[in-house]
Each structure stands twice: as C-alpha cells, then as structure tokens.
C-alpha cells in the first residue's frame, strides 16, 4: 500500500485507492500522515479541520472520522504493512513505515540527488522524485491555514527539485530540456523572479533570445501591476546581458549549486526530513510552530517526541575489507614499484594482468597493505569471481559490501544498481580511498565500481587485458609473468625454511623451473614438502621430471598448475583424496563439513578431518569458522580426477540440502506438515545439521540462499527436476519472512521443473506458494489465476492437505479482491479436508483465516465461533503464535458484538501469550486492538516495546 500527499490525498492499495469520503476525513488523514509516527492532539486536528470556531461536537466528528479511517485500513489489511491508527490518550498516531509515504520517498531522492557529482546520476534521481507528484500537494483537503502551510512547504520542495533538474540539464549542455522543465513551474509561479531568470538563461543559451525577452516583459508587467515594483537586480541583470547579446556567466542563476528559491532557506530550516514546514502560521486558529504537522519523523514513545531519521552515513562502520597480507611474498620489486608509480596519477586505475596462478591477487594485496597509510578513508576489497564457475559477482552485490564499509547503514543501501553506484561515487568524492577489484572479467564490470575521488586509487586484477578499461580510463597496466628462478627459490625458502633450500640449491632451482615459475604451483609444491621433512627437494624434482604430460600442462594457460596439483594430490591419504575428488562436483561456492560429507558419502567428522588435511596442503581455504571454499582452478582440477562420480556426488549434496532445509523449516515454523514428500531414491545423509532455534534455522536458509540457487541450476542440468523444485520450495520460511525479496523467478523455475515432470503433486505445491507470493507483491490478478489451478491439481494427485492449503491461500486472495462468499466457501472446504485427514495444524490454519475473513465481512458472531473451534483443537506448545492470533480475533469479535469486557479480557490474554512466546508481531496486533478501547499506560508501554522489537528484528 502507499499513502499519497503529493497530489490528491489518497491511500493506494492492491485493489485500488480507498474511498476516503468527505474532505474533512481526507484532511484528518493528511494531518496524521504529515506527523506520521508522532501523536497528534485532538486540538491540532481541530485546527486542521476548521479555520474559525469549531462546532461544539468537533471531538465527536473527529472520532467518527478516525473510526471510518480505521475501518478502511483494516479492510485493506494495513496491519500487514505495519500500519496502525492508534489512540494515545487525547491524541491519535498513524504508525507506518515512512517508506509508504510518497513525500518521504520524494525527499529521500532529492537529498540523494544533491550529493551526486555526476549530473546524469542526479538527473535520474530527480526525475524519479518528480514523477511521484500527481497534482498540487494535499489536494482534496480542507484549505485551512495549517494544511495550506504544509502544502506550501511541499510545493517549495518541488520547485527546488525542478530548478535542480534544470541545473543538471544545463551542466550537460541540454538547454532546451532545461527550459522545458522550468517553463511549467514558471507559469505556476509567475512572480518568482529567480525562476524567471533561470528560464531566461536557459532559453538564451538554447538560442531562443526573443522568448527569453518575452518572459522578462511578462514578469515585469505582473510585478508592476500586482505589486507596484520593478524587477529586482538579478532579473534585470540577466535581461541586460541578453539585450546586449553578451555571454552569460557560467556561475549564473541556473548553474549555481547554491541557488534557492525565495524563502527556501527559511523553509529548509523549518522542514522535517520530508520537507513539510514546521514554521508557525499567523492569524486566528493557527497552531504554534511546535504543533504544526511534520513528516518524516519517528517517535520512540508518546513522551519522547520526534527524533531525527538515522544519518545517511555512519562513520563508525569498518572501512578495511582487505584480506590478510600473503604470509610469504618474494620478488616482484619491479612490479610493486610500477604500481606505486601508476598510483601517483590523478584518480588512477591500475590493471594487474597475467596467467592464472601467477600471483595477481597476492601482488595487489601486498601493495595495498604496504601502502595502507596512504588511504586514511578506507581500504576496500572485492572478489568479482569473474572466472569462477560459481558465478560472477554482480556490481550490486559488491556495492552492498562497499557502501556499509563507507558508513551507509545496510537498510539505506539503494536497491537499484544505478542508484547504488551513484551513491558510491558520491561518497568516494573528495576521499583518499583504495579499491581493489579482484578477478574482474570485463571492463564494464570494473567501470561500474570505480570511485570518483581524485585521490582514490583502484587496483584491478584480471586474466584478461581489459583493453576497454585502458581506452576509457587510461588504466596503467602491470603485466605479471612467471617468477625468475631466484625469486621462485626465495618463495620456496619462505615456506620450507632457508636452511633446507640452501642444503639443495640445485634441486630448489630445478623445482622452480619445473613448476614454470608459477607462484601457485610453487606454493602447493612447497606445502607438500613442508609436511614431509624426510623428503628431499631432489626426490620431488625427480618426480616432477618423470611426469609424462608435465610440459603440456606447463605450456597451456589454465592447466599450468595441474602438474603441481596432481603431484600434491597423489600424496594425500585415501580419505582426504576421496574428499578432494568429490569437492570438485560441488555446485555451490562454499561448503561446510556437512556438505562435504554429503558429497563424499561420509560422516561430517570424517569430512572435517579431511578438510583440515586439504587445508594444510593449500587445496582448500577456510574463509570463516567451519566454512570452506575451493579456488576455481583447484576446483576444475579436482573435477577431472573422478568424472564418473559426478552424478553420485551431486545427488548426495542435493539430498543433503533437502534434508537440512527440512530440518530448518521444522525448527523455524514447527507444527506443520512437511512441504513435500521425499523424492524417489532419496539418500538420507549420515548426519543432518541440528538447529537450536528459529534464529539459527533462518540464518542458515539466508546464508545458503545463493548456493541453493546454484544447486537448483546443477540439478536441472543433470535432469534431476524432482530435486530442483523441492530445493526451491523448502526455502518457504525465508520466502514468508522476506516475501518481497524477488522470489518469483526462482518459484517460476520450480514450476517449470514440476511441469517438466508432469507431476500434479509438485505443480500444485509450487503454485500454492507462488500464488501467495504474487498476492503479497501486489499482483492479485496473477495470484488468483495461479491459485485457482492448484486445488484441482492437488485433488488429481490425491494430496488432500495440499488441496486444503491451496484453498486457504486462494480464499485470502479472493477476500482481498472482494469475493467474500467464494473465500468463505473455500475456507470451509479446507476445514473439511483437514478434518478428514485428522490434521489439526491445517484445520487451525483454515479456521484462523476463516475467522479473519468473517470479521472483516461484518460477521463477528461467526468469526467468534470459528476462532473458538480452532482454539479447541489446541493447545499445542508449537502453536503459541497461532493461539495468539486466534485470541486476538476472538477479542475483536467480542468488541464488535458489544461485549467489551470479554473482548478486553481475550485481547489481554492474547497479548500476554504472544509476549511470553516471543511472537512480537502478534503482541503488536493484540495490544493495538486493546489501545483502541482501553488506552492505558501499561498497554501503551508494552505496545511500544513490541513495535521496537519488531523493528529491530527487521
């Protein structure tokens, strides 16, 4: 849903705008929205609705309008969006996420645009901001002084945004476009001299001198006729310059970033973050400045008053993302010096290129640590995975790491790639910052992540030359080649110890030559020797010399490391060797001992021991406690060792994901039936991760989301559609928790898998979840079309509980679309199916939704009976959340029936049970209902605490 103040005051919902009724009700809603999340006294509301003496029954009129607005909000499930109209003593507060207000989003975009250094970035944000306006601010409301003052302040912000957009066009030399955007507001504000001056400037620059002079004459006549004054000096100066045909100065009124419209300075000082004036209004009935509506503030409690929104940038965030420096780094003095030379230029881009395994990343990280003092504002590092089969990192993924490191709170990171990149460029302007972009595949990827500061340095590593980056950014190139024999020997000495290398200098030099001088090959070989002090360097050199295909491997680009890897792998114990060969078939990017065990068909304890052996040989890397990864070259090599085991390993890890996610779902949402039956030939892992609580389960699902997606891709490629759709569907707790997090494409894939199998059971299960997600995304027509298909498919498959769940989801959408009778009928059928299957959980779910639909339809007696029937099925300890919701419905039904005492008792019980169970959303709903009829201090305190907990969890 969305609240609109920039145009006709309205509330947009999934089914269209709410019918708000008379202007007084619309005005009351506007006053509450202008002070969103802050209590508004009845006296203030009275001033907003009547400009002279209010009627004696003004309080009753306000209460009636509040009741009507509450009913409208309840009818569109506003509570699901975090929206509630609360009574707080002698005041009302409309609680809502600020992002639901168009005025808040307008000011956010306007503030962000002002920070941009690139005119095109600023222009895009300004156009998005201005597109939110659909007419004069606060249209359709009572034109009293208070709301007129607020509308005037909003209009000042709009004009300022138009002037800012015109300046951006002028900066880019687009003078006709600048004139076009200025003309509309100039017509609306004919006596604003600075606006006319800017328009004349744009017209003149566009070669339209006569039009510019016409605008001056028009404005002069208006000023003389209406005010009896001549144009001011600024307008007169522009007029004189145009008459003489002189060039306008670059710092003219349309190009200065300091220009503001008349009164804008005062308005800026008195505006809240949404740009609504808090300055006092003169004349009778006008509230003082401290009581005028403001937008964009958040109140922690009724007593604490408004507090400012969090800053865009918090400098307490960490600003060093570099990995640790290489433990052993030898040679490369010339390349390090060249890096220093290239980095001394203005806004330099340094490109490090070379073969895989040649040490590009090591060089960049070594230089970064050695020169860290040059960059007091931050050291950023990102692996773009440009040559990894696990998938390239998108620029937005990188920026979600970079921007928080520069102080942007994660929730303030823009969703779109363009806005995030623009914010990154803005934050890096004027800073001394180092950005290391590792494993970049193409020029465009690197270009999207370049900082804008003249004192920033960017290091890019790539296996490609990236000629485009050289051409567009004048990137300095540092090409890495194999180490010279002396440097290679020094690297061996750093790992093995100088004494051991000096004892066999000829063998050490020979090893360096046999490894092709590639640092990765030398490090793996040295690691193999370090773990076997009884072996000599000469023995290993002889082994290398005997390799039949060694020269071929060393002569071919990516396979130049294979000889060293193969020799290392040959020395592994059987369990570690078996584990290594299976890791090559892992479809994801990371693995833990449980995943490794599933790949190898062993126990996690055995897998963990094997991983430790592989880490000692530098074949795997531990990126976090219990979390490992393979270098992409090592992965490719491992995959060649036992290609015949690929399907077995893949099936094992897919079934591991299924078993683990089922355990996670059962912990996160206990009490329900599994979301599917297990596939044919399912191989249950020897051990499945045990989740201690909901938080741990949800964390695993969130952390593994990317790897689960990669597993789906691999499953589909292998023809294992029966696993693919299940791996998608088992993420449903995360889908429910983060319903708007772009799940539809993944669920579409699940639907394709189900249909490819011709499995009505699978198709029905997927359609049920997909339809619900579409409804939550505000796409009811699509949701309805899919959900109507699901029950017949479930019946065809004999999946009675699946049919019941599908009918419940269908009913929810039907009710939202106004088809109450169909919704009630489908809920009733779902109840019958659940009873026939003796499934109390599904029956309670159906009864809960039935009660809510009945209550919304004005049938409180029926709602009460449905809720009581559901409650009689319990209590079950895992159903605390559902009990709280049912008690809340029961309490609200009693209130609707006039039984206030019983209703309050049930709502109090619901709130208590929800609080004890840690179900904060349920506590918020029950306490909100209580506050509407009994606004006590204790209820208000508990409500505020529950709201705060929900906000903190989000």
């Amino acid at each position: 849903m969305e609240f609109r103040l920039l145009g006709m005051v309205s509330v947009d919902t999934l089914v269209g705008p709410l019918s708000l009724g008379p202007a007084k009700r619309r005005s009351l809603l506007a006053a509450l929205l202008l002070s969103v999340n802050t209590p508004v006294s009845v006296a203030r509301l009275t001033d907003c609705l009547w400009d002279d003496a209010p009627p004696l029954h003004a309080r009753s009129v306000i209460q009636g309008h509040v009741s009507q607005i509450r009913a409208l909000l309840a009818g569109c499930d506003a509570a699901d969006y975090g929206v509630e109209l609360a009574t707080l003593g002698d005041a009302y507060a409309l609680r809502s996420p600020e992002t639901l207000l168009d005025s808040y989003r307008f000011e956010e975009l306007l503030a962000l645009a002002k920070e941009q250094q690139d005119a095109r970035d600023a222009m895009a944000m300004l156009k998005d901001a201005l597109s939110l306006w659909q007419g004069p601010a606060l249209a359709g409301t009572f034109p009293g002084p208070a709301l007129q003052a607020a509308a005037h302040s909003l209009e000042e912000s709009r004009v300022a945004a138009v002037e800012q957009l015109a300046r951006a066009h002028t900066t880019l030399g687009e003078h006709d476009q600048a004139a076009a955007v200025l003309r509309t507001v100039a017509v609306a504000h004919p006596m604003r001299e600075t606006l006319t001056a800017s328009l004349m400037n744009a017209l003149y620059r566009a070669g339209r001198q006569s039009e510019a002079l016409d605008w001056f004459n028009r404005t002069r006549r208006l000023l003389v006729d209406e005010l009896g004054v001549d144009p001011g000096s600024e307008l007169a100066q522009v007029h004189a310059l145009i008459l003489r045909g002189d060039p306008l100065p670059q710092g003219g009124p349309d190009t200065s970033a300091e220009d503001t419209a008349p009164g804008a300075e005062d308005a800026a000082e008195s505006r809240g973050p949404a740009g609504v004036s808090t300055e006092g209004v003169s004349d009778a009935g006008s509230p003082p400045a401290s009581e005028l509506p403001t937008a964009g503030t958040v109140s922690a409690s009724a007593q604490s008053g408004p507090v400012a929104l969090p800053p865009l940038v918090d400098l307490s965030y960490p600003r060093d993302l570099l990995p640790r420096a290489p433990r052993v780094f030898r040679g490369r003095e010339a390349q390090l010096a060249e890096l220093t030379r290239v980095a001394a230029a203005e806004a330099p881009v340094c490109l490090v290129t070379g073969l895989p395994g040649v040490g590009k990343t090591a060089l960049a990280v070594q230089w970064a640590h050695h020169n860290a003092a040059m960059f007091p504002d931050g050291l950023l590092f990102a692996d773009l995975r440009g040559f990894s089969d696990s998938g390239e990192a998108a620029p937005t993924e990188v920026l979600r790491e970079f921007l928080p490191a520069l102080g942007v709170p994660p929730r303030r990171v823009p969703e779109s790639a363009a806005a995030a990149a623009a914010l990154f460029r803005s934050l890096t302007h004027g800073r001394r910052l180092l950005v290391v972009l590792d494993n970049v595949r193409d020029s465009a990827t690197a270009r999207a992540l370049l900082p804008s500061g003249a004192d920033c340095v960017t290091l890019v590593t790539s296996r490609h030359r990236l000629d485009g980056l050289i051409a567009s950014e004048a990137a300095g190139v540092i090409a890495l080649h194999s180490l010279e024999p002396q440097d290679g020997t020094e690297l061996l000495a750093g790992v093995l110890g100088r004494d051991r290398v000096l004892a066999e200098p000829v063998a050490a030099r020979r090893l360096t030559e046999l490894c092709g001088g590639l640092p990765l090959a030398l490090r793996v070989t040295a690691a193999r020797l370090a773990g076997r002090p009884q072996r000599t360097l000469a023995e290993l050199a002889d082994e290398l010399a005997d390799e039949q295909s060694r020269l071929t491997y060393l002569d071919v680009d990516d396979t130049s490391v294979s000889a060293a890897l193969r020799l290392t792998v040959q020395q592994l114990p059987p369990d570690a060797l078996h584990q290594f060969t299976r890791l090559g078939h892992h479809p994801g990017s990371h693995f833990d001992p449980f995943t490794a065990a599933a790949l190898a068909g062993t126990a996690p304890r055995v897998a963990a021991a094997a991983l430790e052996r592989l880490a000692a040989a530098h074949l795997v890397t531990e990126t976090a406690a219990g979390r490992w990864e393979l270098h992409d070259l090592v992965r490719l090599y491992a995959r060649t060792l036992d290609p015949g085991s690929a399907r077995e390993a893949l099936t094992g890890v897919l079934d591991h994901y299924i078993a683990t996610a089922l355990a996670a779902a059962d912990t996160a949402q206990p009490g329900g039936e599994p979301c599917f039956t297990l596939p044919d030939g399912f191989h249950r892992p020897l051990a499945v991760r045990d989740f201690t609580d909901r938080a741990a389960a949800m964390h695993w699902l969130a952390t593994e989301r990317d790897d689960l997606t990669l597993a789906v891709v691999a499953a589909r490629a292998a023809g294992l559609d029966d696993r693919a759709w299940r791996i998608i569907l088992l993420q449903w707790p995360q889908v429910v928790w983060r319903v708007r997090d772009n799940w539809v494409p993944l669920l579409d894939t699940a639907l394709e898998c189900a249909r490819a199998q011709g499995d009505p059971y699978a198709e029905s299960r997927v359609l049920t979840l997909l339809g619900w997600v579409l409804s939550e995304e505000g796409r009811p027509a699509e949701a309805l079309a899919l959900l109507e298909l699901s029950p017949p498919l479930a019946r065809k498959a004999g999946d009675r509980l699946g049919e019941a769940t599908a009918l419940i989801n269908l009913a929810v959408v039907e009710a939202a679309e106004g088809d109450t009778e169909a919704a009630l009928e489908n809920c009733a059928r779902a109840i019958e199916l659940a009873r026939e299957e003796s499934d109390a959980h599904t029956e309670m779910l159906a009864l809960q939704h039935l009660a809510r639909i009945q209550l919304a339809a004005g049938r409180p007696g029926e709602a009460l009976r449905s809720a009581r029937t559901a409650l009689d099925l319990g209590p079950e300890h895992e159903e605390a959340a559902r009990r709280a919701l049912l008690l809340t419905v029961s309490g609200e039904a009693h209130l609707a029936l006039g039984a206030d005492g019983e209703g309050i008792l049930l709502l109090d019980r619901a709130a208590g049970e929800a609080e004890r169970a840690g179900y904060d959303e349920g506590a918020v709903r029950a306490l909100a209902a209580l506050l509407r009829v009994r606004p006590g201090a204790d209820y208000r305190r508990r409500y505020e605490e529950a709201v705060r907990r929900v906000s903190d969890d989000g």
Side-chain angles (χ1 to χ4, degrees), residues 377-394:
D377 294 322
L379 303 162
L380 305 182
F381 178 94
D383 182 1
L384 276 297
R385 307 193 306 270
F387 307 96
S388 171
D389 60 355
S390 63
E392 184 178 13

PDB file of all heavy atoms in Angstrom, residues 377-394:
ATOM      1  N   ASP A 377      40.919   6.986   4.425  1.00  0.00           N
ATOM      2  CA  ASP A 377      39.460   6.915   4.364  1.00  0.00           C
ATOM      3  C   ASP A 377      38.917   5.529   4.066  1.00  0.00           C
ATOM      4  O   ASP A 377      37.698   5.355   3.983  1.00  0.00           O
ATOM      5  CB  ASP A 377      38.934   7.905   3.322  1.00  0.00           C
ATOM      6  CG  ASP A 377      39.198   9.336   3.724  1.00  0.00           C
ATOM      7  OD1 ASP A 377      39.088   9.652   4.915  1.00  0.00           O
ATOM      8  OD2 ASP A 377      39.548  10.143   2.831  1.00  0.00           O
ATOM      9  N   GLY A 378      39.798   4.538   3.858  1.00  0.00           N
ATOM     10  CA  GLY A 378      39.269   3.197   3.677  1.00  0.00           C
ATOM     11  C   GLY A 378      40.055   2.347   2.706  1.00  0.00           C
ATOM     12  O   GLY A 378      40.708   2.854   1.789  1.00  0.00           O
ATOM     13  N   LEU A 379      39.994   1.032   2.935  1.00  0.00           N
ATOM     14  CA  LEU A 379      40.636   0.033   2.087  1.00  0.00           C
ATOM     15  C   LEU A 379      39.569  -1.000   1.731  1.00  0.00           C
ATOM     16  O   LEU A 379      39.147  -1.785   2.579  1.00  0.00           O
ATOM     17  CB  LEU A 379      41.803  -0.635   2.831  1.00  0.00           C
ATOM     18  CG  LEU A 379      42.890   0.308   3.354  1.00  0.00           C
ATOM     19  CD1 LEU A 379      43.725  -0.380   4.418  1.00  0.00           C
ATOM     20  CD2 LEU A 379      43.781   0.767   2.215  1.00  0.00           C
ATOM     21  N   LEU A 380      39.097  -0.982   0.492  1.00  0.00           N
ATOM     22  CA  LEU A 380      38.004  -1.854   0.055  1.00  0.00           C
ATOM     23  C   LEU A 380      38.534  -2.960  -0.835  1.00  0.00           C
ATOM     24  O   LEU A 380      39.417  -2.730  -1.662  1.00  0.00           O
ATOM     25  CB  LEU A 380      36.945  -1.051  -0.694  1.00  0.00           C
ATOM     26  CG  LEU A 380      36.356   0.158   0.035  1.00  0.00           C
ATOM     27  CD1 LEU A 380      35.284   0.812  -0.812  1.00  0.00           C
ATOM     28  CD2 LEU A 380      35.791  -0.247   1.387  1.00  0.00           C
ATOM     29  N   PHE A 381      37.982  -4.148  -0.689  1.00  0.00           N
ATOM     30  CA  PHE A 381      38.401  -5.298  -1.490  1.00  0.00           C
ATOM     31  C   PHE A 381      37.173  -6.121  -1.842  1.00  0.00           C
ATOM     32  O   PHE A 381      36.309  -6.351  -1.002  1.00  0.00           O
ATOM     33  CB  PHE A 381      39.397  -6.161  -0.701  1.00  0.00           C
ATOM     34  CG  PHE A 381      39.852  -7.391  -1.439  1.00  0.00           C
ATOM     35  CD1 PHE A 381      41.014  -7.381  -2.201  1.00  0.00           C
ATOM     36  CD2 PHE A 381      39.104  -8.572  -1.388  1.00  0.00           C
ATOM     37  CE1 PHE A 381      41.430  -8.507  -2.890  1.00  0.00           C
ATOM     38  CE2 PHE A 381      39.518  -9.699  -2.075  1.00  0.00           C
ATOM     39  CZ  PHE A 381      40.675  -9.667  -2.835  1.00  0.00           C
ATOM     40  N   ALA A 382      37.120  -6.579  -3.093  1.00  0.00           N
ATOM     41  CA  ALA A 382      36.028  -7.453  -3.525  1.00  0.00           C
ATOM     42  C   ALA A 382      36.545  -8.436  -4.554  1.00  0.00           C
ATOM     43  O   ALA A 382      37.265  -8.057  -5.480  1.00  0.00           O
ATOM     44  CB  ALA A 382      34.880  -6.646  -4.119  1.00  0.00           C
ATOM     45  N   ASP A 383      36.184  -9.710  -4.380  1.00  0.00           N
ATOM     46  CA  ASP A 383      36.469 -10.737  -5.381  1.00  0.00           C
ATOM     47  C   ASP A 383      35.269 -10.812  -6.309  1.00  0.00           C
ATOM     48  O   ASP A 383      34.189 -11.261  -5.914  1.00  0.00           O
ATOM     49  CB  ASP A 383      36.710 -12.082  -4.691  1.00  0.00           C
ATOM     50  CG  ASP A 383      37.053 -13.191  -5.669  1.00  0.00           C
ATOM     51  OD1 ASP A 383      37.119 -12.917  -6.890  1.00  0.00           O
ATOM     52  OD2 ASP A 383      37.246 -14.327  -5.222  1.00  0.00           O
ATOM     53  N   LEU A 384      35.443 -10.366  -7.554  1.00  0.00           N
ATOM     54  CA  LEU A 384      34.340 -10.362  -8.523  1.00  0.00           C
ATOM     55  C   LEU A 384      34.025 -11.741  -9.087  1.00  0.00           C
ATOM     56  O   LEU A 384      33.036 -11.906  -9.792  1.00  0.00           O
ATOM     57  CB  LEU A 384      34.648  -9.395  -9.660  1.00  0.00           C
ATOM     58  CG  LEU A 384      34.328  -7.901  -9.449  1.00  0.00           C
ATOM     59  CD1 LEU A 384      32.850  -7.695  -9.258  1.00  0.00           C
ATOM     60  CD2 LEU A 384      35.075  -7.323  -8.271  1.00  0.00           C
ATOM     61  N   ARG A 385      34.862 -12.721  -8.828  1.00  0.00           N
ATOM     62  CA  ARG A 385      34.639 -14.102  -9.276  1.00  0.00           C
ATOM     63  C   ARG A 385      34.387 -14.177 -10.784  1.00  0.00           C
ATOM     64  O   ARG A 385      33.562 -14.959 -11.259  1.00  0.00           O
ATOM     65  CB  ARG A 385      33.476 -14.741  -8.519  1.00  0.00           C
ATOM     66  CG  ARG A 385      33.579 -14.678  -7.010  1.00  0.00           C
ATOM     67  CD  ARG A 385      32.572 -15.589  -6.316  1.00  0.00           C
ATOM     68  NE  ARG A 385      31.223 -15.348  -6.732  1.00  0.00           N
ATOM     69  CZ  ARG A 385      30.394 -14.483  -6.165  1.00  0.00           C
ATOM     70  NH1 ARG A 385      30.803 -13.760  -5.144  1.00  0.00           N
ATOM     71  NH2 ARG A 385      29.158 -14.333  -6.592  1.00  0.00           N
ATOM     72  N   GLY A 386      35.104 -13.356 -11.539  1.00  0.00           N
ATOM     73  CA  GLY A 386      34.857 -13.276 -12.965  1.00  0.00           C
ATOM     74  C   GLY A 386      35.196 -14.530 -13.735  1.00  0.00           C
ATOM     75  O   GLY A 386      34.693 -14.737 -14.841  1.00  0.00           O
ATOM     76  N   PHE A 387      36.031 -15.395 -13.167  1.00  0.00           N
ATOM     77  CA  PHE A 387      36.433 -16.616 -13.869  1.00  0.00           C
ATOM     78  C   PHE A 387      36.049 -17.853 -13.071  1.00  0.00           C
ATOM     79  O   PHE A 387      36.645 -18.912 -13.225  1.00  0.00           O
ATOM     80  CB  PHE A 387      37.945 -16.591 -14.117  1.00  0.00           C
ATOM     81  CG  PHE A 387      38.397 -15.336 -14.801  1.00  0.00           C
ATOM     82  CD1 PHE A 387      38.883 -14.275 -14.084  1.00  0.00           C
ATOM     83  CD2 PHE A 387      38.286 -15.217 -16.175  1.00  0.00           C
ATOM     84  CE1 PHE A 387      39.273 -13.104 -14.709  1.00  0.00           C
ATOM     85  CE2 PHE A 387      38.674 -14.062 -16.817  1.00  0.00           C
ATOM     86  CZ  PHE A 387      39.171 -12.994 -16.079  1.00  0.00           C
ATOM     87  N   SER A 388      35.061 -17.708 -12.208  1.00  0.00           N
ATOM     88  CA  SER A 388      34.643 -18.807 -11.349  1.00  0.00           C
ATOM     89  C   SER A 388      33.393 -19.450 -11.895  1.00  0.00           C
ATOM     90  O   SER A 388      32.484 -18.761 -12.368  1.00  0.00           O
ATOM     91  CB  SER A 388      34.382 -18.289  -9.929  1.00  0.00           C
ATOM     92  OG  SER A 388      33.777 -19.280  -9.135  1.00  0.00           O
ATOM     93  N   ASP A 389      33.310 -20.766 -11.812  1.00  0.00           N
ATOM     94  CA  ASP A 389      32.096 -21.427 -12.272  1.00  0.00           C
ATOM     95  C   ASP A 389      30.969 -21.317 -11.261  1.00  0.00           C
ATOM     96  O   ASP A 389      29.871 -21.795 -11.489  1.00  0.00           O
ATOM     97  CB  ASP A 389      32.366 -22.905 -12.610  1.00  0.00           C
ATOM     98  CG  ASP A 389      32.889 -23.681 -11.406  1.00  0.00           C
ATOM     99  OD1 ASP A 389      33.128 -23.072 -10.351  1.00  0.00           O
ATOM    100  OD2 ASP A 389      33.053 -24.907 -11.531  1.00  0.00           O
ATOM    101  N   SER A 390      31.248 -20.686 -10.126  1.00  0.00           N
ATOM    102  CA  SER A 390      30.182 -20.450  -9.161  1.00  0.00           C
ATOM    103  C   SER A 390      29.380 -19.198  -9.484  1.00  0.00           C
ATOM    104  O   SER A 390      28.407 -18.893  -8.810  1.00  0.00           O
ATOM    105  CB  SER A 390      30.758 -20.319  -7.742  1.00  0.00           C
ATOM    106  OG  SER A 390      31.612 -19.197  -7.648  1.00  0.00           O
ATOM    107  N   GLY A 391      29.790 -18.479 -10.522  1.00  0.00           N
ATOM    108  CA  GLY A 391      29.027 -17.314 -10.941  1.00  0.00           C
ATOM    109  C   GLY A 391      29.698 -16.007 -10.593  1.00  0.00           C
ATOM    110  O   GLY A 391      30.260 -15.848  -9.506  1.00  0.00           O
ATOM    111  N   GLU A 392      29.645 -15.063 -11.516  1.00  0.00           N
ATOM    112  CA  GLU A 392      30.276 -13.760 -11.318  1.00  0.00           C
ATOM    113  C   GLU A 392      29.471 -12.918 -10.345  1.00  0.00           C
ATOM    114  O   GLU A 392      28.238 -12.933 -10.339  1.00  0.00           O
ATOM    115  CB  GLU A 392      30.380 -13.033 -12.660  1.00  0.00           C
ATOM    116  CG  GLU A 392      31.094 -11.704 -12.598  1.00  0.00           C
ATOM    117  CD  GLU A 392      31.217 -11.062 -13.977  1.00  0.00           C
ATOM    118  OE1 GLU A 392      30.525 -11.540 -14.901  1.00  0.00           O
ATOM    119  OE2 GLU A 392      31.993 -10.111 -14.128  1.00  0.00           O
ATOM    120  N   ALA A 393      30.172 -12.181  -9.490  1.00  0.00           N
ATOM    121  CA  ALA A 393      29.502 -11.277  -8.556  1.00  0.00           C
ATOM    122  C   ALA A 393      28.959 -10.067  -9.312  1.00  0.00           C
ATOM    123  O   ALA A 393      29.667  -9.449 -10.097  1.00  0.00           O
ATOM    124  CB  ALA A 393      30.475 -10.826  -7.470  1.00  0.00           C
ATOM    125  N   ALA A 394      27.699  -9.739  -9.075  1.00  0.00           N
ATOM    126  CA  ALA A 394      27.108  -8.557  -9.708  1.00  0.00           C
ATOM    127  C   ALA A 394      27.606  -7.296  -9.021  1.00  0.00           C
ATOM    128  O   ALA A 394      27.934  -7.317  -7.832  1.00  0.00           O
ATOM    129  CB  ALA A 394      25.586  -8.626  -9.626  1.00  0.00           C
TER     130      ALA A 394
END
